[in-house]
Amino acid sequence: MIAALRSSHPFFFSVSSFLLLLALFPVFNNENFSSTHLGPYYLMHFIPGYLKYLIGAFVLFYSSLLINRIVNQSVLFNRNFYLPGLFYISLMLFFPANGTLHPMAISNLFSILCFGHLIQVYRNESCKNHIFKACCWTLLAVFCFPSYCVLFILPWISLLIIRPFVWKEYLMPILSLLFFGIYLIAYLLFFDSTLNVFNDWLSSLLFYSVKIDVRTMGALGVLVFVTLSISFKIIFFIYGRSTNRFKKVIKLLLVYFVLCVLQVGLSVFIFKSNSLSIYGAFVPLSVLISFVFMHGKKLWIIDSLFIVYLLSSFIIAYLG
């Protein structure tokens, strides 16, 4: 299966993703939204469970398609490659008790769209439009899950890494914040709301608790530790003899990953939330660990490790 997915044809990715989503359908919990009365999530209370699953599955699959498109249009790999999208789906499904339509899955979709614009920033081209759109997508991610606010500095960092200083481009995040603020004020006035909605928004972190199984977390930890360690070694080796464009893109990807790790700390230590934002890190992680599956030596060992992770997730999900 893994060897087939190294091909440049998307058929095997589509089939494998569909089978993963279908196989875990019986054990998924899709009641994450039933306990809250906050904002648009409350509407999910009236949607049947199977429809929530289908919506969540669509969000995950579309997010994985975006990841593959971004990767294949960049200089990260020398040919079309569809494993990052499959890795993203398999990581997001690592504990079915959280459902497919967890708010962080929705925020991840917006953060992927943000990164897709940032990856299109080039040194010799004006990028005000890309920066503005990236910031708007980030603000939507923050609206869905507050701890994603750390990603708001990513567009500024991308400018520092890729572009020479142009002050108008650095104003785009502020303009997007004003643009978003106008819509928020209009919403509060139209629905005769108060600023207490801000406290309700922050408290949303407490409503969506991520359920973690120690055994599944252990299997995930082993997979991530091994693949990420080797991938960093491969990236370090490639970096020295790569193009300037590759160096800038990989720096941006690594910064994205570091910010996602900080996001977990922000959720736990600042917001005092009982919901780990670990899902946010799965977007850059799915791309980073792909390096070992593309450039590693003894690929059968890495492939076997990934298959063991999937099998252990299925066994724990079905047998408890």
Side-chain angles (χ1 to χ4, degrees), residues 87-218:
F87 290 151
Y88 175 73
I89 290 179
S90 62
L91 291 173
M92 291 295 290
L93 300 180
F94 84 109
F95 196 62
N98 293 318
T100 56
L101 201 55
H102 195 279
M104 284 181 280
I106 302 174
S107 289
N108 276 357
L109 172 60
F110 293 136
S111 66
I112 293 168
L113 290 167
C114 164
F115 189 72
H117 282 285
L118 297 181
I119 209 77
Q120 297 180 54
V121 174
Y122 289 87
R123 176 176 176 79
N124 298 321
E125 298 178 10
S126 177
C127 61
K128 294 191 292 293
N129 185 43
H130 287 306
I131 296 297
F132 181 80
K133 290 180 179 179
C135 292
C136 289
W137 288 124
T138 303
L139 289 172
L140 287 175
V142 174
F143 179 75
C144 293
F145 208 76
S147 65
Y148 279 71
C149 62
V150 297
L151 296 182
F152 192 71
I153 66 173
L154 187 59
W156 276 314
I157 296 176
S158 68
L159 289 174
L160 288 173
I161 293 174
I162 301 175
R163 290 277 295 158
F165 179 76
V166 179
W167 66 270
K168 291 182 180 179
E169 295 172 351
Y170 282 81
L171 288 180
M172 289 300 106
I174 299 175
L175 290 178
S176 67
L177 194 59
L178 292 174
F179 180 77
F180 195 83
I182 292 172
Y183 273 92
L184 179 60
I185 293 172
Y187 171 84
L188 294 176
L189 292 175
F190 182 79
F191 290 100
D192 196 23
S193 302
T194 65
L195 290 179
N196 288 333
V197 70
F198 182 75
N199 294 328
D200 293 338
W201 171 71
L202 290 179
S203 67
S204 64
L205 278 170
L206 301 177
F207 279 96
Y208 311 123
S209 58
V210 175
K211 301 173 183 178
I212 301 294
D213 186 284
V214 176
R215 297 165 297 177
T216 310
M217 196 67 180

Side-chain angles (χ1 to χ4, degrees), residues 9-28:
H9 200 286
F11 172 77
F12 298 103
F13 158 73
S14 301
V15 172
S16 300
S17 300
F18 176 77
L19 291 177
L20 273 178
L21 292 168
L22 185 63
L24 287 171
F25 173 73
V27 291
F28 263 101

